[in-house]
Amino acid sequence: MSTRTNHWLVWLQDSALIACLILVMLGIGFRFGNLNHVYWHDETYTSLRMSGYDAVQVNANLFDGDLTTVDDLMHYQWPTPERSLADTVRSLATEDSQHPPLYYILVRQWVTAFGSTIWIARSLSAFVGLLIFPAIYWLCQELFLFSDIKQQFAPSQRRLTGGIAMAVVAVSPFHILYAQEAREYVLWTVLSLMTSAVLLRALRRRHFSDWGLYACLLAASLNTHPFEILVVFGQGIYVLIVEKFRPTRRFWSYLLAAGGGVVLFVPWLVIMISKGGTGGASWTAQPIPLLSLVKVWGLNLVRGFLLTIGDYGFDTWQVYVTLPLLLLLVGYAVYFMVRHTPVRFWLFVLVLMGSVFVPLALMDLVLGGQRSTPARYLVPSILGVQIAIAVLLSLQLSMRPGNRLRRQFWIGTTTVVLMLGIVSGVDILQADTSWIKPVNYNLSAVVRVVDASPKPLVVASSEGINFGSIFALGHLVEPKTTFLLLDSQQMPETLDAPTIPEGFSDVFLLNPVDPFRQKIEQQETTEAELVFNDFHLFLWKLV
């Protein structure tokens, strides 16, 4: 390689690394810039768990037909001295065992230490989300170090791959949104990356301390999200293939370390099995048309790089334009890795890409269901896709320059991929909702209607999504709002109409089933007018 060519490559790599660092700083701003957006259904369950109460107790105390204030609702959303950390764990074990306790323990302690506000609750995820940058950089370095037997990749190429991977996740709307949510998924993201990096480090160095760290990180990841077990299974296949299906010392070390991590998850696994382990996720077993299933798969790929519009958002021109291009890019990235990197390298990335998505998709295709549709379940798979694209872009930018058109193509491709994220991040800064809040996507519109009333009364029962949506509404409406809440978990259509008290300027009905609404209309000798609705929210007003 000529001196001139070498200088050009050094300049390009240095410039790209500087740009990546700027994007990381931008990504940090995106994560902290809008933490007070709509607090939605699922997050209210985080608050319920950290408060140490469960739905049965709340139903008995609040959904009794008496008038309830916003302060009454908030009592069950933030930690108080009345309930301990043990009550938080008990609440999860009793009603929500599909969610292991590690994140909920951390967020309770965080809120207790710093304050009971939406910003504080979400800031834990935002701060944890900052660890995604060193974690993915570390994983990329370990991929090269473990695979680069013949030292075919220069250190500058390894650094550039790590830099581009950091830039991709920094501006990825998927990672930005989950870093702004009071849920466990960003913690799982970081722990999954760190577990993968430590595994490669342990396979490379064969130190007892590395295997011990792998076991501990694996236990933490499993106690954050149970689907990490699918990643462990994929890693086991990877180690078996790398060791050429022989019971080598490295293979036994992996089995012992992975077994140790799983053993530390067994206590919660027993609880999950005893409780059925489904809880609020039982809807994922309900079948959907194959075309809808495939559409959501494509939508989740797009969401890793572009903010989609709406609570579903497939049928938009942005998706129709970007999805085919991303499919081509991912397909070529896989082909490129197989052609230009050792099997230890590309196999690990492919295992990460398929570890969660493939088993869940196969279950959906064989058994029926939609287990593979929630993007939050596919964290390792989305990370694998993003790493594959980062590898492709970095190695293309590091290769000896060919014709000018090819250089410009890959520089342009890198720019477009990152610009999609930048534009998405700017949109997120200005939005009060996003696709990760499907059942409450338009809750702010309901809030505006209710807050426009001088003295509103909201009548609602607790069936279905109402329970979480009522608490979400309580976080957002003005304190002047009063609630009349009824327990109807079993048979909402048989619920008797409550007596509507006097003194309220407007009476609203939130998501009433038709028989219940008609009973109120008959009792109050009036009619109800639908003032707002989408697919999940129906707000009626007595006129």
Side-chain angles (χ1 to χ4, degrees):
M1 185 181 296
S2 67
T3 302
R4 180 178 179 181
T5 299
N6 185 60
H7 286 330
W8 184 90
L9 276 178
V10 170
W11 175 86
L12 178 62
Q13 291 171 349
D14 289 346
S15 300
L17 281 173
I18 292 172
C20 290
L21 292 176
I22 293 173
L23 290 178
V24 167
M25 299 302 295
L26 193 61
I28 294 173
F30 289 154
R31 282 157 173 78
F32 285 93
N34 186 17
L35 288 179
N36 282 319
H37 53 80
V38 170
Y39 201 72
W40 77 291
H41 176 281
D42 284 17
E43 291 179 297
T44 67
Y45 276 92
T46 296
S47 287
L48 180 66
R49 303 309 168 198
M50 78 167 88
S51 75
Y53 288 92
D54 54 47
V56 173
Q57 295 166 325
V58 173
N59 265 311
N61 295 343
L62 286 185
F63 291 76
D64 56 2
D66 293 333
L67 296 182
T68 299
T69 66
V70 170
D71 287 341
D72 294 332
L73 289 174
M74 293 304 100
H75 177 76
Y76 298 96
Q77 290 287 281
W78 304 112
T80 65
E82 298 173 9
R83 297 281 166 156
S84 67
L85 186 60
D87 291 311
T88 293
V89 176
R90 178 198 52 76
S91 173
L92 287 164
T94 303
E95 292 186 340
D96 231 358
S97 62
Q98 77 271 15
H99 294 286
L102 180 58
Y103 168 79
Y104 297 88
I105 292 172
L106 294 176
V107 73
R108 178 188 170 91
Q109 299 300 92
W110 183 267
V111 169
T112 301
F114 298 108
S116 298
T117 67
I118 291 175
W119 198 97
I120 294 295
R122 285 173 168 161
S123 68
L124 174 62
S125 294
F127 279 112
V128 170
L130 300 183
L131 297 176
I132 194 174
F133 305 130
I136 200 167
Y137 185 88
W138 182 21
L139 175 56
C140 289
Q141 302 315 296
E142 291 296 341
L143 267 172
F144 281 102
L145 291 173
F146 180 57
S147 308
D148 194 12
I149 300 174
K150 297 180 182 179
Q151 300 297 313
Q152 64 195 82
F153 297 108
S156 59
Q157 291 174 312
R158 299 199 297 265
R159 289 193 296 270
L160 184 58
T161 300
I164 292 179
M166 285 197 302
V168 168
V169 298
V171 298
S172 166
F174 177 87
H175 297 298
I176 294 171
L177 289 173
Y178 281 110
Q180 294 182 336
E181 189 181 38
R183 299 293 276 173
E184 66 266 33
Y185 304 107
V186 72
L187 179 61
W188 183 31
T189 302
V190 170
L191 288 172
S192 190
L193 285 171
M194 294 177 67
T195 302
S196 297
V198 171
L199 172 62
L200 292 176
R201 181 182 177 88
L203 290 171
R204 175 171 60 88
R205 302 202 320 167
R206 310 184 194 189
H207 289 180
F208 176 80
S209 59
D210 293 329
W211 288 115
L213 181 58
Y214 174 75
C216 293
L217 287 171
L218 177 57
S221 191
L222 286 168
N223 280 286
T224 299
H225 202 290
F227 281 176
E228 182 69 13
I229 197 69
L230 299 175
V231 180
V232 177
F233 183 74
Q235 291 174 345
I237 294 175
Y238 173 78
V239 174
L240 194 60
I241 293 174
V242 165
E243 298 304 308
K244 300 179 180 179
F245 299 93
R246 295 177 299 179
T248 62
R249 181 177 178 180
R250 280 199 303 200
F251 177 73
W252 287 114
S253 297
Y254 167 78
L255 281 185
L256 288 173
V262 172
V263 165
L264 294 175
F265 176 60
V266 165
W268 196 261
L269 182 62
V270 171
I271 292 173
M272 287 181 61
I273 294 173
S274 66
K275 298 294 183 181
T278 54
S282 58
W283 61 271
T284 60
Q286 298 174 4
I288 61 173
L290 179 60
L291 179 59
S292 298
L293 190 66
V294 174
K295 279 187 172 183
V296 179
W297 292 347
L299 193 61
N300 286 335
L301 173 61
V302 173
R303 285 168 171 169
F305 301 89
L306 175 70
L307 180 66
T308 57
I309 299 172
D311 58 340
Y312 176 65
F314 183 89
D315 295 311
T316 62
W317 69 266
Q318 293 94 333
V319 174
Y320 281 111
V321 170
T322 56
L323 179 56
L325 297 177
L326 282 172
L327 287 172
L328 285 174
L329 189 62
V330 174
Y332 184 70
V334 171
Y335 167 80
F336 183 86
M337 283 194 304
V338 173
R339 285 288 306 272
H340 296 279
T341 65
V343 64
R344 292 183 177 188
F345 190 108
W346 60 260
L347 181 61
F348 190 90
V349 178
L350 290 186
V351 166
L352 190 62
M353 289 171 62
S355 58
V356 176
F357 173 73
V358 170
L360 295 181
L362 288 176
M363 289 179 66
D364 288 341
L365 293 173
V366 174
L367 303 176
Q370 46 190 307
R371 303 164 190 85
S372 58
T373 61
R376 60 187 181 273
Y377 293 174
L378 306 178
V379 164
S381 297
I382 291 174
L383 287 170
V385 169
Q386 292 171 328
I387 289 173
I389 289 178
V391 170
L392 169 66
L393 298 177
S394 64
L395 294 187
Q396 288 286 2
L397 294 177
S398 299
M399 283 185 171
R400 182 176 179 176
N403 62 64
R404 182 178 180 183
L405 184 61
R406 180 179 178 181
R407 290 202 310 267
Q408 291 177 339
F409 174 80
W410 287 111
I411 292 173
T413 299
T414 305
T415 302
V416 169
V417 169
L418 296 175
M419 281 302 300
L420 289 175
I422 294 171
V423 172
S424 298
V426 172
D427 288 341
I428 291 170
L429 281 177
Q430 304 172 66
D432 63 358
T433 190
S434 66
W435 59 262
I436 67 172
K437 315 171 193 291
V439 300
N440 290 152
Y441 185 82
N442 291 307
L443 187 62
S444 57
V446 174
V447 172
R448 286 193 292 270
V449 173
V450 173
D451 282 349
S453 173
K455 193 175 181 182
L457 174 68
V458 177
V459 180
S461 54
S462 57
E463 78 276 358
I465 66 168
N466 284 8
F467 187 87
S469 295
I470 290 164
F471 281 101
L473 197 60
H475 278 280
L476 300 172
V477 294
E478 296 177 5
K480 65 183 179 181
T481 304
T482 303
F483 294 83
L484 197 162
L485 305 177
L486 304 165
D487 184 5
S488 61
Q489 291 286 354
Q490 302 304 318
M491 300 178 65
E493 65 277 2
T494 64
L495 196 64
D496 291 332
T499 300
I500 305 297
E502 300 290 336
F504 293 97
S505 58
D506 297 286
V507 178
F508 298 97
L509 311 179
L510 179 65
N511 290 351
V513 295
D514 287 341
F516 178 59
R517 174 177 55 81
Q518 291 163 2
K519 289 178 183 178
I520 292 179
E521 289 175 329
Q522 292 172 2
Q523 177 176 287
E524 300 298 319
T525 62
T526 186
E527 292 183 354
E529 174 188 1
L530 186 62
V531 293
F532 176 82
N533 76 281
D534 60 12
F535 190 76
H536 297 284
L537 294 172
F538 295 81
L539 186 69
W540 297 76
K541 177 182 176 182
L542 297 186
V543 295

